[in-house]
Amino acid sequence: MKKVRVLIAKPGLDGHDRGAKVVAKHLQESGYEVVYTGLHQSPEQIVAAALQEAVDVIGISILSGSHNFVFPAVMDLLREKGLGDVLVFGGGTIPEDDIPGLLAAGVKVLFRPGTPLQEITSFLQANVG
């Protein structure tokens, strides 16, 4: 059985990646293959890594407030590259009012600070295996 591959990405100039690393480690321990991009990735770099690594899922952590730019840019690039079937989820300090627009852009779900890690794995199990 093929393992689900997850790319954890940390875009922009935000240097706070503890949450992304915690999620990456948790997913790895839960049986997922995880690739972490490291800090300061552009939407183009995130999509290029997703293409290169042939991932099934992209998780994007944003604390900088650039979510209304980064998520739509990533979703547009994924569609341009023929990767529209890659599931994208996000996490970070995203105001409640911004969530409907991001979901409409194609982000499957957004996890806010304090979300139990099991909630993330339960979501992935239900949506990609």
Side-chain angles (χ1 to χ4, degrees):
M1 185 169 148
K2 177 186 175 264
K3 272 191 167 183
V4 174
R5 293 178 59 86
V6 180
L7 180 79
I8 299 294
K10 189 68 189 162
L13 300 177
D14 182 1
H16 302 281
D17 65 346
R18 186 170 63 180
K21 288 178 176 175
V22 167
V23 170
K25 183 69 174 167
H26 173 72
L27 293 177
Q28 193 173 45
E29 290 174 350
S30 298
Y32 294 92
E33 285 189 32
V34 178
V35 177
Y36 175 52
T37 63
L39 294 170
H40 312 306
Q41 301 297 300
S42 68
E44 292 80 4
Q45 290 170 312
I46 293 168
V47 173
L51 184 61
Q52 180 178 340
E53 298 291 339
V55 298
D56 306 291
V57 178
I58 300 173
I60 300 174
S61 171
I62 298 179
L63 300 173
S64 66
S66 63
H67 50 273
N68 284 329
F69 166 74
V70 170
F71 282 111
V74 167
M75 298 309 299
D76 288 345
L77 288 166
L78 286 171
R79 286 187 277 271
E80 285 177 25
K81 300 290 185 186
L83 300 174
D85 60 337
V86 172
L87 184 145
V88 176
F89 73 93
T93 51
I94 298 168
E96 195 76 37
D97 290 347
D98 291 345
I99 291 176
L102 298 173
L103 297 178
V107 178
K108 191 72 170 177
V109 67
L110 294 158
F111 298 104
R112 302 191 67 214
T115 298
L117 292 170
Q118 186 57 45
E119 190 173 322
I120 298 170
T121 49
S122 294
F123 168 78
L124 291 179
Q125 289 167 352
N127 287 281
V128 289

